[in-house]
Amino acid sequence: MESSILDLIGVEIIGVMSPVSICMLLVVLIVYSLSPSNPFSAAPAPPIRTAANLVYLESPSDSTAEKFEGALLNALVFVIVIAVVTFFLVLLYYYNCTGFLKNYMRFSAFFVLGTMGGSIFLSMIQHFSIPVDSITCFILLFNFTIVGVMSLFSSGVPIFVRQGYMVALGIFVAAWFTKLPEWTTWALLVALALYDLVAVLAPGGPLKMLVELAQSRDEELPALVYEARPTVSQNGIAQGRSLDLLVGGVSESGSVEMQTVSSNNLDRNESQNRVNSGYNVIQDTNFGNMEGVQRRDEVERSQLVGFLEERRSSGSSSSEYSTVVGNRDSEIVADEERSPLVDAPEMRNGREQMRDGQENSEVSSRGIKLGLGDFVFYSVLVGRAAMYDLMTVYACYLAIISGLGCTLILLSVRRQALPALPISIALGVIFYFLTRLLMEPYVVGTATNLMMF
Amino acid sequence: MTVAAGIGYALLALGPSLSLFISVIAKKPFLILTVLSSTLLWLMSLIVLAGVWRAFLPLKSTTWWPFVILILTSISFQEGLRILFWKVHKRLEDMLDAFADRLAKPRLFLTDKMLISLAGGLGHGLAHAVFFCLSLLTPAFGPATFFVDKCSQLPFFLVSAIIALAFVTIHTFSMVIAFNGYAEGNRLDQFFVPAVHLVAGMVTLVNFARGGCVVGIPLLYLMAILTMLHCGRMVQRRLSENRS
């Protein structure tokens, strides 16, 4: 029995969603097990002062207006700090200080894994009374950290390890962020979502500049980015295309003329239309769908239209690299902000090249990439929700995941780097407050009377 | 120990659907997406309902008729939403078929369509269990338990987990029945589903009487078993028709 169509669709979406889910789940568990509400850890820790609350230190006795104002100020300052640091990093990248940037990333990863991770491990050990002596613990932590640092920018490390460390970094930073006071957290999340929107989409935004710079240079960004790579490289062409095709189906489902062509290469026609409308005539002569046939056709065609083809393939190869995105603009002292950014490679162009049979190395650079900042701030939102109730956690989780799904679908339509924070954070915040204010009394009221439906 | 109890309650409510998820759904990414979106839809319906009812809450737990109205409105709203969900699902099927044609793959099999409806139903059921049982379970992990007056035989968490299990079953399989009914134009199935949902909701009203849960829960399980049997028979019939 042939594999049905259901097996093909959505692989890359799940490939991104599952690490995000794992990250959120672990952060919620950490928040739950280490939250001061349990009787063993007595007094809450004194509030920490960081770049995220430079201006205003929230205390429970303040009035709402004071808290609100202070939280806004904090968020503003934090965003400004991040913007300045990002510009600085872009400047460094512009002047080709890639080595410095990479080492800086390594150092910060070392710092995060060693200190933040270390402190989380320590409190775990204390909380669960794990019998470990300090020397063993130190050696283990050191090894863990060193492997993490090495896995960042070297190609020799299995991708699974690298993904694991990315998720671990996200978890540590997020768990640390949940220690911020409540109002500041919300203001910060909203402010970052807005900043993300501006930085990625507005002309002259730092992240947009960074992406374009990397495009024009054909190199990978020295950035902390999660890559959902293995699924693509293992299963090859079909999966890389599926999201693409599905979205293609959405966009063209209304147009009847496309349907009547009734050949297997509708999608190809469509993509060619976008690339160069002049290809239509030639494209219509392609009717097979077998890859082998395709390739032959492609060769023929490239002979026919050599000039155009060449021009186009050069164009696509440059944009192929451009897909590497994400980035990270962070500052250790000012905590870590990792560039909230999603990017998908131009699957269409990648596909073209693959059919041309020229690309093997490039296949490995495909796959959706998600900036580590998105991991962090999704998890911060969920972790903050976990401090209220489990109900809000579920609602926020669903909202964030659906926001991520929307962003990914948008990505395959727009084919450019997109900010991943705004939709998800907006949905998450809305659902949090709706759940907290509206749903909880309703559900608790009916369920405690044992009434369900 | 209490942690074990909490996990036990959670697994009692969600265990069957968890195994269903792992054995059937998790292999096909598209089905996972279906589960997620259907869960989100149910959550949104709950939020809308809660928003409408917010003004009247909290209801006094001595009078029972407001609860009847609440359950009636909630169930009718959700059944209306099911029709909407069916329309979306129908369009999705067409889209997938068009997509399959383009890839020169076979169109959706009957089993595929049923899997999609199963995933949709599972999403509804999961959302129910998560919001009505799991989210109230936090205190169960602590060093105490909680009894409600009206059903003092069992801890509250255990009762809610048992009820949630019944509802997960009903939601999961009634979605399969409903979608099949819509696809075939079978009037009986189309009305069977809201009827089961309504009866199940009304049966929980029995819990309102003191000690009523001793009667209410078996009745509820009767509805769940009825749904499962009907679904099983229907799927068998469709499959054998399809094969011949």
Side-chain angles (χ1 to χ4, degrees), chain A residues 80-143:
Chain A
I80 288 175
V81 168
I82 283 186
V84 169
V85 174
T86 314
F87 269 114
F88 180 65
L89 290 182
V90 172
L91 211 64
L92 280 180
Y93 188 62
Y94 185 76
Y95 288 111
N96 271 328
C97 306
T98 318
F100 172 79
L101 281 177
K102 282 193 176 181
N103 283 319
Y104 169 65
M105 296 297 160
R106 289 196 182 105
F107 170 73
S108 51
F110 180 82
F111 184 82
V112 168
L113 287 171
T115 59
M116 291 186 185
S119 79
I120 285 174
F121 286 139
L122 261 187
S123 45
M124 288 273 188
I125 288 170
Q126 273 174 358
H127 185 261
F128 294 107
S129 321
I130 304 169
V132 178
D133 65 301
S134 57
I135 301 170
T136 319
C137 184
F138 179 76
I139 291 175
L140 286 179
L141 183 65
F142 188 73
N143 278 302

Side-chain angles (χ1 to χ4, degrees), chain B residues 166-175 196-197 200 220 223-224 227:
Chain B
F167 271 103
V168 172
T169 319
I170 290 175
H171 279 304
T172 307
F173 293 108
S174 62
M175 189 68 90
V196 162
H197 194 178
L220 190 62
M223 297 314 294
T227 318

Side-chain angles (χ1 to χ4, degrees), chain B residues 45-107:
Chain B
S45 81
L46 206 61
I47 287 181
V48 169
L49 283 170
V52 171
W53 275 92
R54 183 71 182 88
F56 308 102
L57 293 174
L59 297 174
K60 277 199 276 313
S61 55
T62 48
T63 48
W64 57 275
W65 57 267
F67 284 100
V68 177
I69 302 175
L70 187 144
I71 288 188
L72 268 179
T73 49
S74 308
I75 289 180
S76 40
F77 181 70
Q78 286 186 340
E79 290 302 326
L81 213 60
R82 199 195 295 276
I83 296 175
L84 189 78
F85 195 49
W86 160 250
K87 297 231 165 90
V88 174
H89 172 251
K90 189 76 197 136
R91 285 197 60 183
L92 192 75
E93 265 182 14
D94 294 343
M95 232 154 69
L96 285 177
D97 277 341
F99 174 48
D101 285 349
R102 222 180 299 143
L103 277 184
K105 291 263 182 192
R107 291 186 159 219

